[in-house]
Amino acid sequence: MFSCRRLGGGVVQAGGSLRLSCKAPRMILSTFSSAAMAWYRQAPGNQRELVASITSRDSPNYADSVAGRFTVSKDNGQRKVYLQMNSLKPEDTAVYFCNAKVSYGEFWGKGTLVTVSS
């Protein structure tokens, strides 16, 4: 797994913002620019769902539930992927995971809890 960092704390008021970041694991550093990155989340009692993804060409895709509020981006120089979360809702409360996919494997970051209060 690779390092994920949550900015703004683990608890945020509805309507607030948080930014998550992940650094690519050593194993994929050399191929990060060609990797597909994604953010998943898993709410208590629910299945893990895809929130956002970004291709090696920096083309983003978002789940309908977060489109227009979340932004995924990638920094090839720093080998980091970010998830900017704006206008947060209580339904966004979940453990968030970053994911990297390359031809030779799939790698998960350590989950980080985001709690959005009503």
Side-chain angles (χ1 to χ4, degrees):
M1 61 181 65
F2 52 103
S3 177
C4 294
R5 181 162 54 90
R6 179 174 64 231
L7 303 179
V11 181
V12 62
Q13 185 76 21
S17 299
L18 284 174
R19 188 191 188 201
L20 306 181
S21 64
C22 288
K23 180 70 178 292
R26 181 183 300 273
M27 192 174 298
I28 69 167
L29 289 179
S30 62
T31 54
F32 180 83
S33 61
S34 63
M37 306 296 296
W39 289 93
Y40 290 77
R41 68 184 181 188
Q42 186 168 17
N46 294 342
Q47 68 274 38
R48 185 174 297 183
E49 64 173 332
L50 177 64
V51 176
S53 63
I54 185 166
T55 70
S56 61
R57 297 295 301 274
D58 292 333
S59 179
N61 184 263
Y62 301 95
D64 291 340
S65 59
V66 306
R69 300 187 297 117
F70 290 12
T71 301
V72 61
S73 61
K74 184 171 61 175
D75 186 328
N76 289 331
Q78 295 293 318
R79 297 180 176 87
K80 292 181 178 180
V81 62
Y82 304 93
L83 184 67
Q84 178 66 46
M85 304 183 292
N86 298 325
S87 302
L88 284 162
K89 305 175 180 179
E91 64 189 76
D92 295 319
T93 295
V95 176
Y96 285 73
F97 304 85
C98 51
N99 172 271
K101 292 182 180 179
V102 292
S103 62
Y104 50 89
E106 182 176 10
F107 304 87
W108 290 91
K110 182 177 177 62
T112 186
L113 177 63
V114 173
T115 301
V116 184
S117 61
S118 301

